[in-house]
Amino acid sequence: MKLENLNKEQMKAVKQIGGPILIFAGAGSGKTRVLTHKIAYLVQEIGLPPENILAVTFTNKAADEMKQRVQHLLNMDVSSMSVGTFHSISARILRREIHALGYNNDFVIYDQGDSRALVRGVIRDMDLDEKTFVSKAIQGHISRYKNQMIGPEIFIKTAVGYFDEKLSEIYAQYQNSLQNNNALDFDDLLLKPLELFNDHPKRLEYYQQKYRYVLVDE
């Protein structure tokens, strides 16, 4: 593998092994080039098996490009390497493990429209005023709480006033409906692996052993 097309700092980053490293640089400065060369370096020079590498990025297009670049650098099959978006990697883990959380492994993934329809159904089932409890806004509240890792069982304890109390009930019923439908929304794709690893440390240990090197391209 040739490293001649890397500058001094990029070369240093590629060869730095054995601890965390942060590459902070502007757009178009070669961060992805460093990351793909580092993956190739780990496989070809360090001897790390491709299946022990996890590379994560934000879009499917970027993930595909990353895999193609690594394939070109190594000139070998890298299909065993886990390269994908945060959501796709999480979904891959959950397809194998989510039965431990009470779901079937053939769960469905709700898009934004599906989630909003489910929220609207919960609001109607609770016979709430849809002008006060607007499904789009309620969906946004639920998503924000999920991203803050505040589940309905936590939110209900801190709810103050009529709106928050009803919102906590909607949130709880929405989450129950998702599970009854064997479904996850996009936020769940990121949260359920954390729940899995917190509740089942042996599964966390398995993935810690499997992925010996984790690279994130932001």
Side-chain angles (χ1 to χ4, degrees):
M1 182 187 66
K2 296 182 179 180
L3 300 177
E4 288 83 359
N5 61 335
L6 302 178
N7 62 37
K8 181 180 178 181
E9 291 303 313
Q10 290 172 336
M11 184 91 69
K12 181 180 177 182
V14 166
K15 292 186 174 182
Q16 176 68 39
I17 304 297
I21 180 172
L22 172 65
I23 299 173
F24 186 75
S29 58
K31 295 188 296 297
T32 300
R33 183 190 310 132
V34 170
L35 188 145
T36 52
H37 276 76
K38 191 174 187 72
I39 292 172
Y41 184 81
L42 287 167
V43 174
Q44 194 169 78
E45 303 298 330
I46 304 301
L48 190 66
E51 59 267 24
N52 291 144
I53 295 174
L54 170 62
V56 188
T57 187
F58 280 93
T59 67
N60 290 319
K61 181 180 178 181
D64 290 341
E65 181 181 347
M66 189 187 303
K67 206 161 193 174
Q68 290 170 10
R69 287 197 196 185
V70 173
Q71 178 95 34
H72 176 73
L73 287 169
L74 289 174
N75 193 27
M76 63 179 284
D77 182 19
V78 294
S79 59
S80 62
M81 188 181 301
S82 295
V83 179
T85 64
F86 288 94
H87 287 89
S88 67
I89 294 295
S90 294
R92 196 178 308 171
I93 292 172
L94 292 172
R95 289 292 178 197
R96 176 173 178 167
E97 307 286 353
I98 201 169
H99 59 274
L101 300 178
Y103 292 75
N104 294 328
N105 292 69
D106 61 348
F107 62 86
V108 296
I109 300 171
Y110 278 12
D111 63 18
Q112 192 173 47
D114 297 325
S115 298
R116 189 171 302 164
L118 185 59
V119 169
R120 187 180 301 114
V122 170
I123 292 169
R124 289 174 178 172
D125 288 344
M126 292 176 61
D127 199 26
L128 295 171
D129 180 7
E130 292 186 55
K131 292 183 179 179
T132 301
F133 297 92
V134 180
S135 58
K136 182 178 181 180
I138 296 299
Q139 181 189 34
H141 284 303
I142 292 173
S143 180
R144 185 172 68 253
Y145 289 127
K146 285 189 176 186
N147 282 302
Q148 294 173 356
M149 299 182 67
I150 300 173
E153 69 285 348
I154 297 174
F155 179 56
I156 201 167
K157 295 177 182 178
T158 60
V160 177
Y162 174 77
F163 184 86
D164 276 3
E165 288 175 1
K166 292 303 177 183
L167 174 57
S168 68
E169 293 178 25
I170 295 169
Y171 186 4
Q173 289 197 35
Y174 167 77
Q175 207 59 33
N176 287 337
S177 296
L178 280 174
Q179 185 158 4
N180 290 337
N181 294 338
N182 196 42
L184 303 178
D185 62 21
F186 283 151
D187 295 316
D188 286 332
L189 286 178
L190 302 182
L191 293 176
K192 290 300 179 183
L194 298 177
E195 183 180 338
L196 172 76
F197 295 150
N198 283 329
D199 293 349
H200 302 276
K202 288 292 185 182
R203 301 317 298 154
L204 172 60
E205 184 179 347
Y206 168 81
Y207 286 99
Q208 287 174 328
Q209 292 299 316
K210 175 178 175 61
Y211 296 127
R212 307 309 299 263
Y213 226 99
V214 179
L215 303 103
V216 179
D217 186 5
E218 294 189 350

